[in-house]
Amino acid sequence: MRLLHTSDWHLGRSFHRVNMLGAQAEFIGHLVDAVRAHAVDAVAVSGDVYDRAVPPLAAVELFDDALHRLADLGVPTVMISGNHDSARRLGVGAGLIDRAGIHLRTEPSAAGTPVVLSDAHGEVAFYGLPYLEPALVKDEFGVTKAGHEAVLAAAMDRVRADLAARPSGTRSVVLAHAFVTGGQASDSERDITVGGVAAVPAGVFDGVDYVALGHLHGCQTLTERVRYSGSPLAYSFSEADHRKSMWLVDLAADGSVTAERLDCPVPRPLARIRGTLDDLLADPRLDGHEDAWVEATLTDAIRPADPMARIAARFPHTLSLVFDPERAPDDPAVSYARRLAGRDDQQIAEDFVAHVRGAGPDPREAAVLRDAFDAVRADDTVREVAR
């Protein structure tokens, strides 16, 4: 069986001030063409279809168009909700859409109930594990500790139990939306850290033939059977070096896997440039970036006059201008933002405690801070879903 694995469309998202809906529509056309050209048997979409729980109307219309075009091909599509989606909204009409060969899996309780497809070699069971927010699903899975590893492990126990009851030789595919150990993050993914731990081990998914992951925006191979497709478009300058693609996966009769990357259309290349303003305007090595979307970091000791207008004269598609003067790390003029770069909320809070009272929090106090951040993040998720 030949699968096309994609994820993280983020329909409705913009790139800085650029509306990406046209590029997203181009990707959907490319996806449909790839399904047809490569004789794909099934499409797997591993979450974050939309960029937010209540997407703009234009994004909903594009999604509707995508569903119609995929259904017209007669190729089954299995799709799960991600942490950016509202599972309840995305799942509306799932039973009816199912009849058209579009299988939306947004309910955690259905983790062990697969979509079963067949080819010349027998059945393939597709298990959809939507994004599992630990605080919201721990009771469903009967876990006492609300962490990503615990709820995913419980969901996979249901998958393996169902698979064990199926005829010998049944092949299996799991769609999941999670941060799995070994994956490389970028700046455009929403933090899903719980209890100070963001990642779950790939071993959680042992026992199935292929795991189609979503959440991280870079295309990655964690093992031959566990892969991220990444997002089809770049949504931050941290993705400037990404090669945006989908996985074309062949699942053989014995469950062995081979995979090939299919490149996605690039609306405009990204470039990150750094230096003094005068150097950036004069450096001939930057000629190749003049048509790119540019993030320019200026290192001038004193902020130049009219920097955006001057940089845009050479790089007309500059979207981001960052000021990072070259200074010693202990220079009092180093910006607060620069001092906090790369530190998460927990570390910042612990540093604040140390600054105020002269000593950092003890383990019990650190746990209180961690629980508070987890509670706020879970509450934000509940509020967004309820909108």
Side-chain angles (χ1 to χ4, degrees), residues 62 82 97 262 332 340 368:
L62 179 56
I97 296 171
L262 301 182
L340 297 185
V368 169

Side-chain angles (χ1 to χ4, degrees), residues 9-263:
W9 296 357
H10 289 279
L11 300 182
R13 187 167 187 157
S14 60
F15 182 73
H16 291 264
R17 61 177 180 270
V18 177
N19 186 318
M20 296 294 284
L21 205 65
Q24 291 169 340
E26 184 180 1
F27 162 70
I28 295 298
H30 170 73
L31 170 70
V32 172
D33 290 343
V35 170
R36 185 184 298 111
H38 294 277
V40 169
D41 298 307
V43 177
V45 185
S46 300
D48 281 353
V49 174
Y50 291 122
D51 188 56
R52 55 182 185 267
V54 186
L57 179 59
V60 177
E61 291 173 338
L62 179 56
F63 178 59
D64 181 65
D65 177 63
L67 294 185
H68 278 85
R69 296 174 72 178
L70 288 169
D72 287 345
L73 292 175
V75 175
T77 297
V78 184
M79 183 178 297
I80 63 171
S81 50
N83 61 300
H84 279 250
D85 299 308
S86 165
R88 292 174 63 186
R89 284 188 172 85
L90 188 64
V92 168
L96 183 62
I97 296 171
D98 197 79
R99 301 178 191 176
I102 307 292
H103 308 283
L104 299 175
R105 291 296 182 264
T106 63
E107 291 293 333
S109 60
T113 305
V115 175
V116 180
L117 305 178
S118 299
D119 65 7
H121 305 291
E123 294 185 339
V124 181
F126 286 76
Y127 297 90
L129 276 54
Y131 171 66
L132 302 175
E133 174 58 46
L136 303 183
V137 302
K138 63 183 179 68
D139 292 339
E140 165 65 33
F141 291 106
V143 299
T144 55
K145 184 179 180 181
H148 286 292
E149 182 175 354
V151 295
L152 267 173
M156 283 301 302
D157 285 343
R158 293 188 184 182
V159 168
R160 284 185 283 264
D162 180 86
L163 189 58
R166 295 190 174 274
S168 176
T170 300
R171 289 158 291 162
S172 54
V173 175
V174 166
L175 288 74
H177 196 87
F179 189 169
V180 179
T181 303
Q184 297 297 313
S186 60
D187 292 343
S188 53
E189 298 115 4
R190 183 180 295 171
D191 180 34
I192 58 171
T193 300
V194 172
V197 179
V200 299
V204 164
F205 300 104
D206 285 350
V208 296
D209 294 312
Y210 184 72
V211 182
L213 292 175
H215 180 55
L216 299 184
H217 288 185
C219 182
Q220 302 170 59
T221 300
L222 303 187
T223 74
E224 288 304 306
R225 297 184 182 276
V226 182
R227 300 171 187 264
Y228 282 101
S229 66
S231 60
L233 297 166
Y235 292 114
S236 73
F237 277 102
S238 66
E239 301 169 55
D241 294 330
H242 286 189
R243 174 187 164 196
K244 296 300 183 181
S245 56
M246 304 177 287
W247 284 113
L248 186 66
V249 179
D250 284 315
L251 187 61
D254 63 356
S256 59
V257 170
T258 56
E260 171 190 354
R261 290 177 72 174
L262 301 182
D263 291 328

Side-chain angles (χ1 to χ4, degrees), residues 257-322:
V257 170
T258 56
E260 171 190 354
R261 290 177 72 174
L262 301 182
D263 291 328
C264 295
V266 179
R268 191 180 295 278
L270 307 186
R272 297 179 112 171
I273 59 177
R274 179 185 179 90
T276 65
L277 180 57
D278 288 342
D279 286 346
L280 296 182
L281 294 178
D283 191 342
R285 294 172 296 178
L286 301 180
D287 289 350
H289 299 322
E290 291 179 355
D291 194 45
W293 281 323
V294 168
E295 178 187 74
T297 299
L298 302 185
T299 60
D300 302 75
I302 299 175
R303 184 171 299 203
D306 299 320
M308 180 57 92
R310 293 169 64 189
I311 202 77
R314 181 179 183 188
F315 305 101
H317 304 289
T318 300
L319 300 181
S320 175
L321 194 59
V322 180

Side-chain angles (χ1 to χ4, degrees), residues 325-334 338:
E326 296 287 2
R327 294 191 175 105
D330 58 352
D331 189 319
V334 171
R338 185 174 174 183

